[in-house]
Amino acid sequence: MNHPIPHGLPMERDAGPFDPPAEITRLREARPVSPMVFPDGHQGWLVTGYDAARKLLADTRFSSRQDIGVVHVPYETPGMPSSNEPSPQVPGLFVAMDPPDHTRLRRKLTGAFTVRRVKQLEEHITDITERQLDELAGRTPPVDLVKEFTLPVPSLVICELLGVPYADRETFQVNSAKFLVRDQSLEEKMAAYGAMTTYLAGLVARKRAEPDEDILSDLARDDDLSMEELIGIAFMLLLAGHETTANTLALGTFALLEHPEQLAELRADPGLLPDAVEELMRYLSVADIFYRYATEDIELGGETIGKGSTVVVSLLAANHDPQRFGNPDTLDIHRTARGHTSFGHGVHQCLGQQLARIEMRAGFAGLLRRFPTLELAIPAAEVKLKTDMNIYGVHELPVTWTETPR
């Protein structure tokens, strides 16, 4: 490999709360598929260009299996990014599997997340959102929007769909947040993972004994799935089902409050919302870094990636590629941002993407309609950003309003 760039992963959004790392932008302009050196000294590749990222994600020769790779994926499995030993496969965690294992498990869930099935849930999701807005309207400002709205809504929805008691939210919200802390020891990460899987093991066992009308019960009725696989699937759906949407809702509200002209346009014309949601997902890219492993020599973006290489793809960088999106570092709710990579691409494209879209449309629409004078309760520079987490967002979003909510 010729002249690898000596750096770890540039993940700090150093120009502002919504901007990509300057180093990522520089790398993408110079070499969209760049050789890089990982902190432990071994060499791999970093993909920052939109076209190269889409090709990589669609090419199953780039494996998602961590038991053949060298760098662990901090978001997708309990492994740590600093280790140079392969991670054992976790049963049920099909995001870290390749076909045909991935196909077998994902197929079990496609019925639950079809566009038609999710569309039928739309009215119910709107009801959940409105009830949470009623609670928010009853609070005396200032309030933390994360605690009172952007975290409860997706948590309530995924709990209801999966059959997880919302009363147990302290267990899974606290531990999923601990699991996503970026710089922590393997012991700390495994403790959070163990707490979640222990909780889910008891829940899945109850579903298998006395199934109800929910996704985990449907899966528990399937004799083809082992208990370990059920627990792995439950862990993945619960984690992904509330963390990504909650962070996009919170960070998206922050972004809109910082772009008052576009916020006013959205209030005046709610028909702009579907495109605005796509643009916010592109612009914010809360789930950024994903890993793949080359199973043979592969040409990508004019480079030859050798068999066995670890390849890191930055969805944030791809979503801000000027070759695909004009003036990409600017939020533009009139942009047609379809084709963004925030839900991934290829066989691992997010299973719950339609659900997430409906939740975000309902969440933003309700918030803007009912709180016409919503504003930050602290200076923007004091908002606590999740620079320490593997999914970006805000830890808290203190907001206030002057007019009685509608």
Side-chain angles (χ1 to χ4, degrees), residues 67-227:
D67 57 330
I68 63 170
V70 249
V71 174
H72 295 163
V73 185
Y75 168 50
E76 293 173 329
T77 78
M80 290 297 290
S82 58
S83 174
N84 58 7
E85 292 297 323
S87 241
Q89 282 211 287
V90 179
L93 223 63
F94 58 85
V95 72
M97 294 178 182
D98 297 334
D101 297 327
H102 168 269
T103 313
R104 177 180 78 86
L105 293 177
R106 183 169 170 126
R107 197 174 282 148
K108 307 280 187 190
L109 286 160
T110 47
F113 290 99
T114 60
V115 174
R116 185 176 63 83
R117 178 94 177 261
V118 173
K119 188 76 179 164
Q120 290 170 345
L121 292 168
E122 189 163 4
E123 191 175 322
H124 186 52
I125 291 167
T126 302
D127 288 343
I128 289 172
T129 305
E130 291 299 322
R131 284 201 303 273
Q132 201 61 38
L133 285 165
D134 288 341
E135 288 201 24
L136 179 63
R139 306 277 184 213
T140 302
V143 300
D144 174 14
L145 198 68
V146 173
K147 181 183 175 188
E148 303 297 344
F149 181 67
T150 64
L151 182 57
V153 167
S155 296
L156 280 160
V157 172
I158 199 65
C159 280
E160 199 162 310
L161 278 179
L162 293 182
V164 174
Y166 185 63
D168 296 344
R169 63 190 177 279
E170 284 299 314
T171 300
F172 71 77
Q173 285 177 353
V174 167
N175 285 302
S176 68
K178 285 180 182 174
F179 178 75
L180 291 169
V181 171
R182 191 189 298 163
D183 297 317
Q184 62 177 322
S185 70
L186 181 57
E187 289 73 24
E188 288 171 312
K189 196 176 193 75
M190 289 303 291
Y193 176 73
M196 278 189 78
T197 53
T198 299
Y199 164 72
L200 290 168
L203 181 65
V204 167
R206 292 198 298 278
K207 300 285 182 191
R208 192 149 252 186
E210 297 177 26
D212 206 339
E213 296 302 314
D214 54 63
I215 290 173
L216 290 186
S217 292
D218 290 345
L219 293 169
R221 289 185 183 97
D222 191 335
D223 293 335
D224 182 45
L225 291 171
S226 68
M227 281 295 290

Side-chain angles (χ1 to χ4, degrees), residues 7-26:
H7 58 67
L9 291 178
M11 293 177 73
E12 295 302 326
R13 305 196 187 203
D14 37 22
F18 314 114
D19 296 311
E23 175 72 357
I24 282 270
T25 301
R26 189 186 68 74

Side-chain angles (χ1 to χ4, degrees), residues 13 17-18 146 182 243-244 246-252 254 284-287 383-397:
R13 305 196 187 203
F18 314 114
V146 173
R182 191 189 298 163
E243 282 286 355
T244 47
N247 281 299
T248 305
L249 272 173
L251 193 64
F254 182 22
L284 303 172
S285 301
V286 299
V383 172
K384 293 176 185 170
L385 300 164
K386 289 189 173 178
T387 52
D388 56 336
M389 307 292 278
N390 284 314
I391 296 182
Y392 191 57
V394 294
H395 285 289
E396 299 169 358
L397 192 66

